[in-house]
Amino acid sequence: MSNSVKALEPAFQGAGQRIGTEIWRIEDFQPVPLPKSECGKFYSGDSYIILQTTSGKGGSYIYDIHFWLGKDTSQDEAGTAAIKTVELDAILGGRAVQHREIQGHESDKFLSFFKPCIIPLEGGIASGFKKPEEEEFETRLYVCKGKRVVRMKQVPFSRSSLNHDDVFILDSKDKIYQFNGANSIIQERAKALEVIQFLKDKYHEGTCDVAIVDDGNLQAETDSGSFWVLFGGFAPIGKKVASEDDIVPEKTPAKLYSITDGQVSPVDGELSKSSLENNKCYLLDCGAEVFVWVGRVTQLEERKAATQAAEEFLSSQNRPKSTHVTRLIQGYETYSFKSNFDSWPSGSAPAAEEGRGKVAALLKQQGIGVKGASKSAPVNEEVPLLLEGGGKIEVWRINGNAKTPVTGDDIGKFHCGDCYIVLYTYHHSDRKEDYYLCWWIGKDSVEEDQNMAAKLASTMCNSLKGRPVLGRIYQGKEPPQFVAIFQPLLVLKGGLSSGYKNYIADKGLNDETYTADSVALIQVSGTSVHNNKAVQVDAVAASLNSNECFLLQSGSSVFSWHGNQSTYEQQQLAATLAEFLKPGVTVKHTKEGTESSSFWFAVGGKQSYTSKKVAPEVTRDPHLFVYSINKD
């Protein structure tokens, strides 16, 4: 390590040596480590630096650094956070990806570090706020947004803060209320339940009552009555008023600028990798997102100046606060950065040679020449690219020779005896609209429905002038892009199509199709938005697994069973699915080993089940070979 790096911020020494999250708050223009007890709590008057360390290949570490700026933080503190982030990157070897996070406009990646959410609070270190144990309890009202990650914002405790479109959480001393606006979406209601459980455990020692209040329910004897009393009595609430936080910057065609001595100058010509020189810094303006690219041989002071220049550039352009800023070092570019360039040659990466060598030797014996089979192939270590969020989902179920629309709360529910067509419309880059079109085939569906799904999907693709990406998806083989569209994705038993009904009737089979009154056991699996799925299994105790979570529906009761080796993510997904399956239901949380007699009765009695972890089926990446026939 060079002397210049050793002389950098002492508070960062030893950072990034373990997997997890480390946080520093800027105090008197210096980073001060934040204790774990304060993790996830951010004050609007402060600036923070967050380091997320994950494991890479060969025992290496992958670093993401985020600096979070509260809405009331001073310009000097914000500048300090940006500069100290560059210093932290230097200490870590200069290969971290850096992100600017503005309160209220945080990226999904940042929010995913904190389960279930971050809690933005008023005040800051400069105002001398007290520690939680020294504070008097204050009733707070939050608006809770987000289908995949939760965005919490404290709003004034006033009736005027409520509206019909959002979900609100009122945290009072004796009870936590969830207010569901009439037009709010089911995913946000489910996420709010996770937040309420977090608030209950963290600030109420797990003992306070919880109440759900639905917009329009005016019965005074219910929880709705006590909720409105806190607001001085019921009165009509107004429509949602658009604010600066609702401004979504548009993505525009990318434009490249060079940064020299803190000055930003446009670069003419096509966007290509050859435009980037390794001894300079550049700014790539994409409208909704701005990238700062740093050449590998630039000096530390140049990198700091480039970060400041990016801030000044945004200010001079009057960009919305929600504009994301990402800083990258040469050689560690992300897909979202590289995708803006017309030409970006693939680099080479080490890969196993033995298998390809054997294949080449075998084909050579048969007179076939293989080009490149024994060469190193680039290895893509990035998370699969998901589609743009916030798109429009349309789903149809195949029924005879036609397709029947799936609407409302049934979108995301698939029956294994049916086939479906899914159209996802989203905005991407400078194009008006892009499409993702596919047909999903249930494992128990009949051949007639499968053929009709393919035919109708093809017709739909043609009607959209061939623009959609069209694909066939089999149950259990869903790609991450498909899974992430729904959140949650639930596969149920049986089928609703006439073809399936006729088939089981002809075969004399029992119809196991799921209904709202069924006794149903649902297995919850997955670790992230890419693979979160739930599948209905046989409602017997033998289906349980200590490594998983399960939902058990029995009449009006819903149990959430948590295996002793299940993960926090699985438990949270189970809570989301319970609300998705039966909105407003009171879930009976059951940890393995604490089951009630009514639970065992619903699954036909207690019996042994496995505690072995079932390895997920690994889908091998496709390989492309170029070969020629040697006739000599």
Side-chain angles (χ1 to χ4, degrees):
M1 183 182 294
S2 66
N3 291 331
S4 61
V5 173
K6 288 181 179 179
L8 295 178
E9 182 55 54
F12 294 144
Q13 300 300 327
Q17 300 304 306
R18 64 181 186 277
I19 293 173
T21 307
E22 297 172 77
I23 305 177
W24 296 263
R25 182 171 55 225
I26 302 301
E27 300 180 11
D28 294 328
F29 306 107
Q30 296 297 323
V32 176
L34 207 64
K36 284 187 175 293
S37 61
E38 295 290 296
C39 184
K41 183 183 291 186
F42 294 86
Y43 286 86
S44 62
D46 290 333
S47 297
Y48 298 78
I49 296 174
I50 300 90
L51 169 63
Q52 183 70 15
T53 305
T54 54
S55 59
K57 289 192 173 181
S60 63
Y61 289 131
I62 298 173
Y63 301 114
D64 281 279
I65 308 175
H66 303 251
F67 59 101
W68 185 92
L69 307 178
K71 64 181 179 64
D72 299 322
T73 192
S74 69
Q75 191 65 38
D76 290 340
E77 279 195 351
T80 300
I83 295 303
K84 292 297 180 181
T85 294
V86 178
E87 293 187 11
L88 174 57
D89 176 43
I91 289 175
L92 296 173
R95 62 182 188 273
V97 178
Q98 300 170 36
H99 315 261
R100 185 187 70 159
E101 307 286 352
I102 302 296
Q103 180 180 349
H105 303 284
E106 297 88 353
S107 65
D108 287 1
K109 183 183 184 75
F110 174 78
L111 293 174
S112 69
F113 302 153
F114 306 96
K115 301 295 184 180
C117 64
I118 67 171
I119 305 176
L121 299 172
E122 298 297 323
I125 188 67
S127 61
F129 60 80
K130 297 180 180 180
K131 295 181 179 179
E133 58 269 21
E134 299 173 343
E135 295 177 343
E136 293 185 7
F137 188 90
E138 175 188 352
T139 298
R140 293 188 171 107
L141 181 64
Y142 302 94
V143 60
C144 185
K145 299 181 180 181
K147 294 187 290 185
R148 297 176 183 170
V149 293
V150 180
R151 301 176 187 276
M152 288 272 286
K153 178 184 178 183
Q154 185 178 351
V155 294
F157 177 28
S158 167
R159 184 189 293 105
S160 61
S161 296
L162 303 174
N163 62 61
H164 302 293
D165 299 308
D166 293 321
V167 178
F168 295 84
I169 295 175
L170 179 62
D171 187 9
S172 67
K173 188 172 184 178
D174 300 317
K175 184 179 288 189
I176 304 176
Y177 296 86
Q178 176 176 324
F179 177 81
N180 297 326
N183 301 325
S184 61
I185 60 176
I186 189 172
Q187 292 92 337
E188 289 186 342
R189 297 182 185 187
K191 284 294 183 182
L193 287 174
E194 299 176 18
V195 175
I196 286 176
Q197 186 62 45
F198 173 74
L199 293 174
K200 179 179 177 180
D201 294 339
K202 188 172 182 68
Y203 298 109
H204 299 268
E205 299 179 349
T207 58
C208 74
D209 293 329
V210 174
I212 307 297
V213 178
D214 290 318
D215 189 5
N217 184 349
L218 306 180
Q219 300 178 28
E221 67 276 9
T222 65
D223 291 318
S224 176
S226 59
F227 173 79
W228 289 113
V229 165
L230 296 174
F231 288 91
F234 174 79
I237 59 178
K239 294 182 179 180
K240 183 176 180 179
V241 178
S243 65
E244 184 181 3
D245 291 344
D246 298 314
I247 299 176
V248 178
E250 296 182 0
K251 186 167 184 178
T252 59
K255 186 169 180 58
L256 186 65
Y257 298 82
S258 65
I259 303 175
T260 306
D261 296 329
Q263 299 299 313
V264 177
S265 305
V267 177
D268 297 327
E270 292 184 353
L271 284 178
S272 66
K273 185 178 180 181
S274 61
S275 303
L276 305 173
E277 300 178 31
N278 64 2
N279 61 343
K280 293 183 179 180
C281 298
Y282 294 85
L283 184 148
L284 183 67
D285 181 14
C286 302
E289 185 168 17
V290 170
F291 297 92
V292 176
W293 184 90
V294 175
R296 190 167 46 243
V297 298
T298 53
Q299 299 300 312
L300 180 63
E301 293 306 316
E302 293 179 87
R303 300 181 183 188
K304 290 182 179 180
T307 299
Q308 291 178 314
E311 295 289 337
E312 294 171 1
F313 175 83
L314 292 177
S315 178
S316 66
Q317 298 276 322
N318 293 320
R319 293 293 175 84
K321 290 182 178 179
S322 53
T323 304
H324 288 157
V325 178
T326 304
R327 179 182 167 279
L328 311 142
I329 189 74
Q330 181 182 1
Y332 294 90
E333 297 88 352
T334 61
Y335 178 87
S336 57
F337 175 81
K338 293 187 290 187
S339 64
N340 292 286
F341 288 78
D342 297 326
S343 59
W344 192 283
S346 298
S348 59
E353 299 293 332
E354 183 180 359
R356 280 189 292 273
K358 290 180 178 179
V359 171
L362 178 62
L363 294 178
K364 187 175 182 180
Q365 290 176 4
Q366 300 177 10
I368 301 174
V370 181
K371 296 181 180 179
S374 61
K375 295 180 180 178
S376 296
V379 178
N380 182 10
E381 298 179 357
E382 297 178 6
V383 172
L385 179 65
L386 300 186
L387 302 174
E388 298 285 339
K392 177 184 178 183
I393 306 174
E394 296 175 272
V395 183
W396 297 266
R397 185 179 64 253
I398 301 302
N399 193 25
N401 295 325
K403 60 183 191 295
T404 303
V406 178
T407 59
D409 295 343
D410 288 329
I411 291 179
K413 297 175 184 175
F414 294 79
H415 286 80
C416 61
D418 292 333
C419 295
Y420 297 80
I421 295 175
V422 176
L423 175 64
Y424 183 67
T425 306
Y426 61 101
H427 293 270
H428 177 63
S429 188
D430 58 343
R431 298 179 61 173
K432 183 178 180 181
E433 287 179 328
D434 273 340
Y435 304 97
Y436 176 69
L437 176 63
C438 57
W439 72 98
W440 184 92
I441 298 175
K443 66 180 181 63
D444 297 329
S445 61
V446 298
E447 186 177 355
E448 292 80 1
D449 285 352
Q450 296 175 14
N451 294 335
M452 185 55 63
K455 179 180 178 180
L456 294 178
S458 179
T459 300
M460 188 179 297
C461 183
N462 292 335
S463 69
L464 294 170
K465 300 180 180 180
R467 287 181 57 192
V469 175
L470 179 61
R472 176 180 58 187
I473 295 175
Y474 289 101
Q475 178 184 337
K477 306 286 187 180
E478 295 87 356
Q481 292 82 358
F482 181 86
V483 175
I485 287 174
F486 294 96
Q487 291 305 301
L489 175 64
L490 174 60
V491 180
L492 301 168
K493 286 194 170 190
L496 303 174
S497 73
S498 57
Y500 175 80
K501 297 293 186 184
N502 293 335
Y503 173 78
I504 63 172
D506 291 343
K507 295 292 184 180
L509 303 174
N510 293 327
D511 189 355
E512 296 183 308
T513 302
Y514 171 85
T515 66
D517 298 324
S518 302
V519 174
L521 185 63
I522 296 171
Q523 183 178 14
V524 179
S525 62
T527 58
S528 71
V529 67
H530 310 108
N531 56 21
N532 282 340
K533 290 189 290 186
V535 180
Q536 185 180 356
V537 296
D538 293 337
V540 294
S543 297
L544 299 173
N545 187 318
S546 299
N547 295 279
E548 308 282 356
C549 290
F550 292 78
L551 286 180
L552 174 62
Q553 173 185 298
S554 177
S556 59
S557 299
V558 174
F559 299 86
S560 180
W561 187 87
H562 300 168
N564 287 334
Q565 299 173 52
S566 64
T567 65
Y568 176 84
E569 288 76 14
Q570 289 170 332
Q571 295 168 18
Q572 295 304 310
L573 179 58
T576 301
L577 279 161
E579 177 66 18
F580 181 52
L581 196 64
K582 280 185 169 292
V585 70
T586 299
V587 180
K588 301 177 180 179
H589 295 280
T590 303
K591 191 174 181 180
E592 182 179 0
T594 65
E595 299 87 353
S596 63
S597 58
S598 57
F599 176 89
W600 291 122
F601 178 79
V603 292
K606 187 175 182 179
Q607 55 181 297
S608 60
Y609 52 86
T610 185
S611 59
K612 294 182 179 179
K613 192 167 187 177
V614 179
E617 184 177 347
V618 178
T619 302
R620 186 180 69 86
D621 289 338
H623 291 70
L624 178 64
F625 296 94
V626 178
Y627 69 94
S628 60
I629 305 297
N630 187 353
K631 296 182 179 180
D632 295 337

